[in-house]
Amino acid sequence: MTTRTESVDTPAGEARITWHRAPQPRLVLAVSHGAGGGIEARDLQALAAALPARGITVALVEQPWRVAGKKVAAAPRVLDEGWRGLWPALVEPGLPVVAGGRSAGARVACRTAAELGAAGVLALAFPLHPPGRPEKSRAGELTGAGRPALVVQGGRDPFGRPEEFPPPGAQDPYELVEVAYADHGFAVPKKADTTQEEALSAITEAVGEWLVRLPV
């Protein structure tokens, strides 16, 4: 696996892509961070470490607000603008690109996947609703993505537990994988029956298997 970081100018400011390249890639998985952290998130780092060996190049994307050193994420419209602006760099290798992200990054991927021609959508810790506010559902962003989608959700995520998600329909197919005991950041308690390493392995296995099955 080779790693390279490049800066990309977008209408929302400078973004940054860290490439974890597979030796013989069949597709690119582009994943961005959430509103409360960067690409150092445990799930993003686990995917970048595990998937290149399976023929998947992983592109970890830092949104312009994060590159600029700001502590508060930009508005959704600006996040989408930044993602659209860096998309040409993601497709430049000439491979199918799966759009993904964790939390707010997953929402961006869902909102823009169809217009950008993404091969699929990976939603890590999708924020189905604000904590304690299930009536403020964002399910429409997920079900309206218009692309095959995989949701990987912690069993005790306050932004939406797996059982709160609507059943997928014929027009909005998606799969959902639960990571037992995990919270919004996929952290598991020390007293849980699952270790942190096992939780991350469950994520990388689920994502890897889904990507292999994805028609591209």
Side-chain angles (χ1 to χ4, degrees), residues 26-27 96-98 118-121 147-150 175 208-216:
R26 60 182 292 269
L27 60 80
V97 181
V98 172
V121 175
R147 291 291 185 271
L150 175 68
E175 299 177 36
E209 291 174 6
W210 177 73
L211 290 172
V212 167
R213 288 189 282 111
L214 196 65
V216 294

Side-chain angles (χ1 to χ4, degrees), residues 75-77 79-80 84 104 106-115 141 145:
R77 177 186 59 79
L79 294 178
D80 292 356
R84 291 187 187 99
R107 295 182 65 194
V108 173
C110 287
R111 290 193 298 258
T112 60
E115 66 176 275
E141 292 182 348

Side-chain angles (χ1 to χ4, degrees), residues 2-171:
T2 58
T3 304
R4 179 176 66 87
T5 298
E6 69 171 308
S7 295
V8 182
D9 289 329
T10 81
E14 179 187 338
R16 195 155 50 213
I17 304 173
T18 300
W19 294 92
H20 297 259
R21 296 189 183 276
Q24 294 180 308
R26 60 182 292 269
L27 60 80
V28 172
L29 171 63
V31 282
S32 188
H33 51 79
I39 62 171
E40 71 278 1
R42 57 172 61 84
D43 50 337
L44 302 186
Q45 289 296 317
L47 292 171
L51 294 185
R54 303 179 74 155
I56 300 159
T57 287
V58 178
L60 299 183
V61 176
E62 294 176 85
Q63 279 270 11
W65 70 269
R66 183 79 178 180
V67 174
K70 298 178 181 178
K71 298 186 182 300
V72 179
R77 177 186 59 79
V78 179
L79 294 178
D80 292 356
E81 189 177 53
W83 187 252
R84 291 187 187 99
L86 60 86
W87 190 259
L90 297 171
V91 300
E92 192 274 333
L95 297 168
V97 181
V98 172
R102 65 164 289 101
S103 195
R107 295 182 65 194
V108 173
C110 287
R111 290 193 298 258
T112 60
E115 66 176 275
L116 294 175
V121 175
L122 172 63
L124 301 161
F126 186 83
L128 185 64
H129 57 70
R133 301 293 300 278
E135 73 279 5
K136 299 287 187 180
S137 177
R138 299 163 179 148
E141 292 182 348
L142 174 63
T143 59
R147 291 291 185 271
L150 175 68
V151 178
V152 182
Q153 203 75 3
R156 59 187 186 94
D157 190 333
F159 287 82
R161 298 184 305 279
E163 62 269 22
E164 295 182 79
F165 280 73
Q171 300 302 315

